[in-house]
């Protein structure tokens, strides 16, 4: 995602076309928001520990299911008990994708406000 945003910014930043300059401004806002978020949370070891503890069981489970499904390893990975069997993907997506999604929405709304 970072390389895509950087590419959009570099491609359109000096454009004569207004819509391309708007795309470049949007990409720059996204990059700035991502780097600001990184700087703000860089020293929080508690957040890193929490991320590790929340995500590790789900990531291990998804990988084991994928290995067993694709390579027929016969591991027999069981599904999580309810309600986690329904929430597994949502937990991972919300924990890792929510911040990026919110930053994207804010950047888009800021672009339209100008």
């Amino acid at each position: 995602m970072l390389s895509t945003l950087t590419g959009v910014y570099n491609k359109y930043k000096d454009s004569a076309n207004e819509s391309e300059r708007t795309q470049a401004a949007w990409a720059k806002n996204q990059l700035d928001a991502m780097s600001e978020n990184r700087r703000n949370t860089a020293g929080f070891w508690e957040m890193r520990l929490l991320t590790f503890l929340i995500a590790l069981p789900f990531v291990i489970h998804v990988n084991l299911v994928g290995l067993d499904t694709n390579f027929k390893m016969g591991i027999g990975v069981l599904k999580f008990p309810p309600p986690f069997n329904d929430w597994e993907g949502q937990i991972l997506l919300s924990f890792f994708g929510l911040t990026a999604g919110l930053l994207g929405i804010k950047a888009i709304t800021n672009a339209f406000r100008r």
Side-chain angles (χ1 to χ4, degrees), residues 22-37:
T22 303
Q23 287 179 343
W26 176 81
K28 184 177 184 321
N29 287 339
Q30 286 286 97
L31 291 169
D32 291 344
M34 288 170 63
S35 62
E36 182 68 26
N37 190 32

Side-chain angles (χ1 to χ4, degrees), residues 9-58:
Y9 177 69
N10 288 332
K11 183 176 179 183
Y12 296 127
K13 68 179 176 182
D14 296 325
S15 175
N17 187 338
E18 179 64 31
S19 67
E20 291 176 351
R21 282 196 310 268
T22 303
Q23 287 179 343
W26 176 81
K28 184 177 184 321
N29 287 339
Q30 286 286 97
L31 291 169
D32 291 344
M34 288 170 63
S35 62
E36 182 68 26
N37 190 32
R38 282 267 191 212
R39 277 192 297 271
N40 289 340
T41 59
F44 298 160
W45 66 268
E46 302 92 348
M47 186 63 182
R48 292 174 191 229
L49 178 64
L50 182 63
T51 301
F52 180 77
L53 292 176
I54 289 174
L56 184 65
F58 295 110

Side-chain angles (χ1 to χ4, degrees), residues 85-100:
N85 61 343
D86 295 329
W87 295 350
E88 180 176 21
Q90 293 172 355
I91 290 170
L92 289 174
L93 287 176
S94 68
F95 197 73
F96 292 110
L98 186 62
T99 303

Side-chain angles (χ1 to χ4, degrees), residues 61-77:
H61 184 258
V62 167
N63 285 323
L64 288 174
V65 169
L67 285 172
D68 195 30
T69 302
N70 293 321
F71 299 111
K72 309 291 185 224
M73 300 177 76
I75 300 172
V77 180

